[in-house]
Amino acid sequence: LGGANCGDNLPSGHTINAMVTVMVVQSYFFGICNPGGAGSRILCGLMWALYLAAVAGVFALCSFQFFLIVASRNHYSADVLVSVYMTPLVYIFDSYIVWPRDVE
């Protein structure tokens, strides 16, 4: 009643989606670049630079999105911080404990 709001309270769904994006890019882009498997030193260095640039870029965009979520007053800062802390724990539990063969 009143203003438009997303409806979820403590774990911010917007933040969870952004964090899952960061974690998926970090884990799967590493496999695509495979910095340790490159043949020459120059190619290996370029692959590391590509990997780090991709992860840093996605993390920077998502960090800015966290600021915008709080600034737009869709969520409190505690909602965003709980989601930032909770999402990697669930992702690691799901990836490494529940389905460990998928990580290999």
Side-chain angles (χ1 to χ4, degrees):
L1 301 173
N5 200 352
C6 63
D8 57 350
N9 288 327
L10 186 59
S12 167
H14 305 99
T15 307
I16 290 172
N17 287 333
M19 285 297 295
V20 168
T21 302
V22 169
M23 291 180 293
V24 166
V25 166
Q26 186 272 331
S27 60
Y28 289 105
F29 204 79
F30 184 81
I32 292 170
C33 286
N34 196 7
S40 68
R41 291 178 71 97
I42 295 173
L43 184 60
C44 184
L46 287 174
M47 295 308 272
W48 266 112
L50 179 65
Y51 169 73
L52 292 175
V55 171
V58 169
F59 184 76
L61 287 174
C62 287
S63 297
F64 184 63
Q65 182 179 357
F66 302 155
F67 169 74
L68 291 177
I69 290 169
V70 174
S72 68
R73 296 185 173 196
N74 271 341
H75 291 282
Y76 295 116
S77 57
D79 302 343
V80 173
L81 291 176
V82 166
S83 298
V84 167
Y85 184 74
M86 180 184 71
T87 306
L89 296 176
V90 173
Y91 186 83
I92 290 169
F93 176 76
D94 183 55
S95 298
Y96 294 100
I97 296 172
V98 176
W99 304 103
R101 296 178 96 198
D102 291 343
V103 179
E104 297 173 357

